[in-house]
Amino acid sequence: MTKETKSGDRMNQAMAHKKKRSFWRLMIMTMVLFAGAVVIMQLIEQAGNDGRIEAGDAAPNFKLVSLDGTTMVERETYDGKGLLLNFWGTFCEPCEKEMPVVQDNYAALQDMGVDFWAVNVGETPLRVDNFVNGLGVKLDYPILMDTRSEVEKAYGIYNLPVTFVIDADGKVIEKYEGELTKEKLMELAEKSL
């Protein structure tokens, strides 16, 4: 074999090796781009459907125990009456401000045929009990404990306080984010009927 033939063979081998590397680079880049496109499409889909419950949705069912631990409450068995479902936390200043307002108007809500459930999100019964006792107002309405934040997640809660207006058929009529005033409380109660 001549020097030129050996050089030509090496050149052909180098070219073949280069083509092979280029092919695999192209394949890897294609797979990375495809995976990226799939991730972007999923993020876009999730942004459009972020799991938040809105007006028109069926209210998700749940079972929670009351703060005193004596009563198990299930949303599904409550159909047939208007319900204001309020999510709150001890760390939320507007939540603290609305609690006496709700208490002052709780009997009127009951007379209308509307109930009010306050769901504490992710805190311990001891912490909540200490907080409630420190309010200086005895609360008659049910305080339910969502210690694992399961109901909070089922309703897609991101801000506190938030109140869901649920009608007698278990359908969400409205979702109100913000502190309840007497006027707003009564307006929401009317909508639940």
Side-chain angles (χ1 to χ4, degrees):
M1 242 191 212
T2 66
K3 229 180 190 185
E4 287 178 15
T5 307
K6 283 184 180 179
S7 177
D9 285 344
R10 278 192 228 143
M11 185 83 96
N12 287 338
Q13 286 176 348
M15 290 290 282
H17 186 65
K18 187 174 181 180
K19 283 182 181 179
K20 202 179 214 181
R21 278 195 328 235
S22 294
F23 172 78
W24 285 111
R25 283 183 185 155
L26 181 62
M27 289 301 291
I28 290 170
M29 284 182 12
T30 302
M31 290 181 349
V32 167
L33 287 173
F34 179 75
V38 168
V39 168
I40 289 170
M41 287 171 37
Q42 287 176 338
L43 290 173
I44 290 170
E45 184 179 327
Q46 287 175 357
N49 181 14
D50 59 7
R52 293 182 185 204
I53 300 299
E54 299 290 344
D57 294 337
N61 189 38
F62 61 82
K63 290 181 185 178
L64 290 177
V65 69
S66 61
L67 175 59
D68 62 10
T70 62
T71 309
M72 174 67 77
V73 176
E74 184 174 6
R75 209 270 335 133
E76 198 170 75
T77 61
Y78 195 76
D79 290 347
K81 191 174 180 183
L83 175 65
L84 300 181
L85 186 63
N86 175 266
F87 290 85
W88 70 281
T90 62
F91 49 87
C92 166
E93 192 174 315
C95 300
E96 182 176 357
K97 289 179 181 177
E98 74 183 6
M99 294 177 104
V101 172
V102 173
Q103 179 55 45
D104 289 344
N105 296 283
Y106 185 60
L109 293 175
Q110 295 285 288
D111 290 343
M112 292 171 66
V114 177
D115 211 343
F116 186 94
W117 294 354
V119 178
N120 177 268
V121 293
E123 297 183 274
T124 66
L126 179 62
R127 180 181 178 103
V128 174
D129 192 49
N130 288 338
F131 175 82
V132 169
N133 288 332
L135 283 174
V137 176
K138 183 184 178 316
L139 303 178
D140 294 327
Y141 58 87
I143 295 181
L144 308 176
M145 300 304 301
D146 185 21
T147 55
R148 294 186 185 143
S149 296
E150 292 169 347
V151 180
E152 175 186 13
K153 290 174 188 165
Y155 279 77
I157 305 300
Y158 292 94
N159 299 312
L160 295 177
V162 60
T163 304
F164 289 87
V165 180
I166 302 172
D167 71 8
D169 297 321
K171 182 178 167 187
V172 175
I173 301 302
E174 184 176 333
K175 178 175 107 176
Y176 175 73
E177 294 186 30
E179 182 181 332
L180 292 171
T181 62
K182 178 181 180 177
E183 294 75 22
K184 190 57 155 176
L185 180 66
M186 291 308 177
E187 175 190 324
L188 296 177
E190 286 287 335
K191 290 180 179 181
S192 74
L193 298 173

